[in-house]
Amino acid sequence: MSDAEAPTLVSIAAGPLVGPVLRRVVGMFAARADLPLDRLDDAVLVADVVAARAPAHVTDATVDVALASGTRSLDLRVGPLRSGGGEALVTDAAVPGVGNVIEQLADDPMQLNREVDWVIKQQLIQAYMEKNRLSWRDPKVSLMDLQYHDIRPDKGLYFSLVRRDLVDRITDDESIERAKHVPPQTTRARLRGEFIRQANLKGKDYRVDWVYLKLNDPERETILCKDPFQSHDERVERLIRSF
């Protein structure tokens, strides 16, 4: 892209550190590019997908990523990949019922104005600004930004769009309520949820985040779960059995 700086190459040994390292590097470059928080989330999502899927398609034992930050933009390139690896990586990023959001984000994010939250919000706010001749600094715009995320169904602007069939949902209220107690069984959320449930039952002190699980015991290892789509891991199950 024309306004991007010279790319920085990051080479990471294929293995459990790809996710944590790439996520932090992408976050740093996204901050340098002054990406808004919504797009920062998208950048981290891309990093997670690359970390989880790219090692299967690289030509050697490292995942090489070139990053360059521009004016509110981030350029990320992965390679070298084996023959057909690029297409396979893109295919791996498809979301059931939605398609390849990663590819669409790279081509033209605005085409996802019914599927991706930040695109929906941006177009809603910009339409309001144009109609009322407001700038981004106007307090009414800041209030609208907050109201969009109000989780009360009768107050949140997002829920108003849902009622008017202006957004596409990939789930429903019943599934959301069930997921509060039963995590998705095809992702690492199942691992995390089962670890937390069993640790609470046994009165264990623990720490977790998106990618790691750990008992607060200096003799216990930290378990990295780098693949967001891995729902079973013998290391985690062995740790649970040891409670």
Side-chain angles (χ1 to χ4, degrees), residues 38 117-118 121 143-152 155-159:
D38 293 333
D117 195 59
W118 72 260
K121 184 176 73 171
L143 178 60
M144 189 175 186
D145 191 0
L146 291 174
Q147 288 178 323
Y148 178 87
H149 294 288
D150 194 321
I151 62 174
R152 294 173 293 181
K155 300 291 185 181
L157 294 180
Y158 170 80
F159 294 104

Side-chain angles (χ1 to χ4, degrees), residues 108-127:
D108 178 13
M110 294 302 108
Q111 67 182 302
L112 292 166
N113 60 0
R114 291 184 59 92
E115 296 90 357
V116 174
D117 195 59
W118 72 260
V119 177
I120 297 168
K121 184 176 73 171
Q122 178 174 312
Q123 292 199 352
L124 176 67
I125 293 178
Q126 285 182 330

Side-chain angles (χ1 to χ4, degrees), residues 23-24 188 192 207-214 224:
R23 187 179 300 103
R24 283 161 176 76
R188 67 183 170 201
R192 187 167 55 243
R207 286 181 291 166
V208 300
D209 75 355
W210 291 112
V211 296
Y212 81 82
L213 311 171
K214 180 176 177 57
L224 294 174

Side-chain angles (χ1 to χ4, degrees), residues 58-75:
V58 295
T59 57
D60 51 34
T62 63
V63 176
D64 298 329
V65 180
L67 300 107
S69 54
T71 304
R72 298 178 76 84
S73 64
L74 181 64
D75 187 28

Side-chain angles (χ1 to χ4, degrees), residues 6 12 34 39 68 73 99 119 125 167 189 191 198 204-205 212 222:
I12 312 167
D34 195 26
R39 301 211 67 179
S73 64
V119 177
I125 293 178
V167 297
L191 283 172
Q198 293 291 344
K204 299 293 185 179
D205 191 22
Y212 81 82
T222 297

Side-chain angles (χ1 to χ4, degrees), residues 176-190:
I176 292 172
E177 187 62 31
R178 183 168 60 253
K180 292 179 181 179
H181 309 284
V182 182
Q185 298 297 291
T186 57
T187 73
R188 67 183 170 201
R190 192 204 72 81

Side-chain angles (χ1 to χ4, degrees), residues 15-32:
L17 291 180
V18 174
V21 171
L22 188 57
R23 187 179 300 103
R24 283 161 176 76
V25 172
V26 167
M28 178 185 70
F29 274 81
R32 182 185 298 176

